[in-house]
Amino acid sequence: MNDVEQDVLFMQQALRLGARGRTTVRPNPMVGAVVVARGTVVGSGYHKRAGGPHAEIMALRQARTRSRGATLYTTLEPCCHTEKRTPPCVPAIIESGVRRVVVAMRDPNPHVAGRGIRRLRRAGVTVDVGCLGKEAATLNEVYLHWITTGRPFVVLKAAMTLDGKIATATGESQWITGAKARAHVHQLRSRVDVIAAGVETVLKDDPQLTVRVSGGTRPATGIRQPARLVFDSRLRTPFGARVLQGLDQAPTILASTNLAGTRKIERLRKMGVQVLVFPRKGTRVALDRCLHALGSMGFSSLLVEGGGELNGAFLREGLVNRVCLYVAPALLGGQRTKGLLSGRSPRRLAEIMPVSNLQIESLGGDVLITGDV
């Protein structure tokens, strides 16, 4: 095995380690690290939770004195700043006596952005950058989007028929897809910071917008429940709505406008609901302003589970990064049934929204189609 092949092998191990933090480190990046001495892994670790030790620290602690003269593989540039809850990694790496550091990719966070690499090199440590960089960027696509745009990474999810219908003419939608697909939705929910719906969905379906065991009624334990977000420009959400219950486990944010009454805002806030008032786009919440506010609050990912109007608005404004469409092998038909996308109808094919990197997965009798927008 040559040096390049060895670097790839150990970086692959670091990437697998980093992925273990998928549901626990948000909004921090997933990072894995291994320390290698004489071709043998003597220390490994990953970032387990936000506020906990970073992957490099975990790997160096395990390696102890065996790190002297060794090579450290890490999936993201080591940090060197103190504007966070944990000590910086670069001083610990230098003190450990590591001779070489292999970094999959630079961290675009303005607090890092090459500074960690430069400081290591000034200390005499050899630093190589780019081994499996594309794979590292894919692992942390949510973090990278949040850091570079200031907005959460947006996934639009829907359950639909083959002809793109998400509900009957009366709004009935439970259940278009089967149990396996619904359970998969809860896995998807567990990986995001915020689950969003429109007020019409709340009024019609009274959803909980929580992660539940096997898609049933019992909340999942041992995970951090995502925040719940309702786009409600006039604050029509009833006080007894299920999305306003269990706030100690799953906080709720109502995104509203100046069309809402101040007395209801005050009452909701006293209940523990976070009411945010945004500028309007017509009579609706300005979505881009809301997303930037969420990003500044530390939310890096958002799952949209809206109706056709909300889905269409997000897509038309170019705010969706990925679609996850659970498709049942059935047809509904009819002009009054509810489609995946509502709102303004395009007049020309030039307005088509292409979807790339399609992936198709069978879920019982249903199919999950995932693609990037």
Side-chain angles (χ1 to χ4, degrees):
M1 183 184 300
N2 60 37
D3 291 344
V4 173
E5 291 172 335
Q6 181 170 278
D7 284 350
V8 169
L9 177 67
F10 292 125
M11 189 60 78
Q12 286 174 334
Q13 184 172 342
L15 287 166
R16 287 194 295 271
L17 284 167
R20 294 183 184 180
R22 186 176 301 278
T23 61
T24 56
V25 300
R26 303 187 307 264
N28 292 354
M30 291 174 275
V31 183
V34 295
V35 179
V36 178
R38 300 181 184 88
T40 302
V41 175
V42 295
S44 63
Y46 68 98
H47 189 31
K48 293 184 178 180
R49 60 179 178 81
H54 287 188
E56 299 93 329
I57 302 300
M58 299 292 286
L60 291 172
R61 285 177 181 174
Q62 191 178 98
R64 299 185 179 180
T65 57
R66 292 172 293 179
S67 62
R68 191 158 299 278
T71 298
L72 170 67
Y73 294 83
T74 180
T75 58
L76 191 67
E77 177 183 3
C79 61
C80 57
H81 64 98
T82 58
E83 297 182 29
K84 53 189 176 61
R85 289 176 284 180
T86 54
C89 295
V90 168
I93 294 171
I94 295 171
E95 186 178 347
S96 74
V98 163
R99 176 183 59 84
R100 176 177 177 241
V101 176
V102 181
V103 178
M105 65 172 293
R106 287 180 170 84
D107 187 346
N109 186 327
H111 294 303
V112 187
R115 293 183 180 90
I117 292 169
R118 290 194 295 271
R119 186 168 174 186
L120 286 169
R121 285 172 174 165
R122 285 199 300 267
V125 179
T126 300
V127 182
D128 295 316
V129 183
C131 178
L132 298 187
K134 183 177 179 180
E135 290 80 355
T138 299
L139 176 67
N140 277 311
E141 61 180 353
V142 170
Y143 168 78
L144 297 175
H145 175 83
W146 173 58
I147 283 293
T148 55
T149 68
R151 305 192 311 264
F153 186 97
V154 175
V155 178
L156 189 153
K157 163 261 167 184
M160 57 188 247
T161 60
L162 282 172
D163 54 339
K165 303 298 185 178
I166 62 173
T168 66
T170 60
E172 183 183 356
S173 61
Q174 298 177 348
W175 299 102
I176 288 176
T177 52
K180 193 167 184 178
R182 297 198 299 275
H184 192 278
V185 168
H186 287 271
Q187 294 180 30
L188 179 62
R189 286 181 173 185
S190 72
R191 296 179 178 181
V192 300
D193 292 333
V194 184
I195 302 172
V199 66
E200 295 295 341
T201 297
V202 171
L203 294 173
K204 182 66 181 177
D205 297 336
D206 194 20
Q208 297 180 61
L209 299 184
T210 55
V211 181
R212 299 187 297 281
V213 177
S214 300
T217 58
R218 185 158 52 91
T221 59
I223 68 163
R224 183 181 69 180
Q225 286 283 352
R228 299 171 289 187
L229 171 67
V230 179
F231 290 96
D232 187 355
S233 59
R234 300 178 186 272
L235 285 187
R236 292 186 291 148
T237 300
F239 291 113
R242 292 198 293 180
V243 77
L244 300 185
Q245 312 305 314
L247 297 175
D248 55 332
Q249 298 296 320
T252 295
I253 302 167
L254 297 184
S256 193
T257 68
N258 59 3
L259 296 175
T262 56
R263 292 181 65 181
K264 189 166 186 178
I265 291 176
E266 292 172 3
R267 183 175 171 185
L268 285 163
R269 286 175 174 168
K270 286 179 179 178
M271 291 171 56
V273 179
Q274 190 168 7
V275 181
L276 303 179
V277 178
F278 294 102
R280 286 187 284 125
K281 189 169 185 179
T283 60
R284 301 179 183 276
V285 172
L287 297 180
D288 57 339
R289 296 288 292 272
C290 180
L291 290 188
H292 276 99
L294 293 173
S296 67
M297 294 163 65
F299 295 120
S300 62
S301 54
L302 172 72
L303 180 64
V304 176
E305 296 195 13
E309 290 289 342
L310 188 63
N311 294 343
F314 263 92
L315 281 163
R316 282 193 301 274
E317 295 186 30
L319 298 173
V320 176
N321 299 97
R322 178 161 298 144
V323 293
C324 290
L325 305 177
Y326 297 83
V327 183
L331 301 168
L332 194 54
Q335 292 183 344
R336 295 176 55 208
T337 51
K338 314 297 182 182
L340 172 66
L341 304 176
S342 300
R344 183 182 61 83
S345 298
R347 289 180 167 272
R348 303 173 60 228
L349 281 176
E351 298 180 63
I352 202 168
M353 291 175 277
V355 180
S356 60
N357 300 323
L358 286 183
Q359 297 182 31
I360 301 175
E361 177 183 354
S362 294
L363 294 171
D366 305 311
V367 173
L368 169 60
I369 301 176
T370 305
D372 299 332
V373 181

